[in-house]
């Protein structure tokens, strides 16, 4: 679709997108970084990638072995 538009149309679309983005509220990274760190530390105990999945609840564990004789 973008190939069918003229350069002027593409620039208009870019300006419209930038007008939308400038309205987004901004926050200081010093504040949001601390909030993210606190959240991650709080939820770390519930994260299966960090604490692992119990063998009885692991849907991907091998059901058995295959032997070729």
């Amino acid at each position: 679709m973008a190939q069918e538009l003229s350069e002027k149309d593409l620039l208009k679309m870019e300006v419209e997108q930038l007008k939308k983005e400038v309205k987004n509220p901004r926050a200081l990274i010093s504040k949001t970084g601390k909030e993210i760190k606190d959240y991650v530390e709080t939820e770390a105990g519930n994260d299966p990638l960090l604490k692992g999945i119990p063998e009885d609840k692991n849907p991907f564990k091998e059901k058995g072995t295959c032997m070729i004789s």
Side-chain angles (χ1 to χ4, degrees):
M1 179 184 148
Q3 294 137 355
E4 300 170 3
L5 299 174
S6 69
E7 185 176 353
K8 183 178 177 181
D9 292 332
L10 290 171
L11 290 172
K12 281 183 182 180
M13 288 174 55
E14 185 174 353
V15 167
E16 290 302 315
Q17 181 63 34
L18 291 171
K19 284 180 181 179
K20 291 176 186 176
E21 289 179 16
V22 79
K23 294 177 186 175
N24 288 339
R26 308 275 180 171
L28 296 174
I29 189 65
S30 58
K31 180 181 177 201
T32 56
K34 182 180 180 332
E35 290 173 356
I36 291 171
K37 179 180 170 265
D38 292 343
Y39 174 79
V40 169
E41 288 175 348
T42 302
E43 297 298 318
N46 300 327
D47 191 334
L49 295 175
L50 295 176
K51 72 175 193 174
I53 300 172
E55 282 297 316
D56 59 334
K57 295 187 182 203
N58 185 354
F60 301 105
K61 74 176 181 179
E62 292 189 27
K63 305 284 189 256
T65 59
C66 178
M67 300 179 89
I68 299 176
S69 56

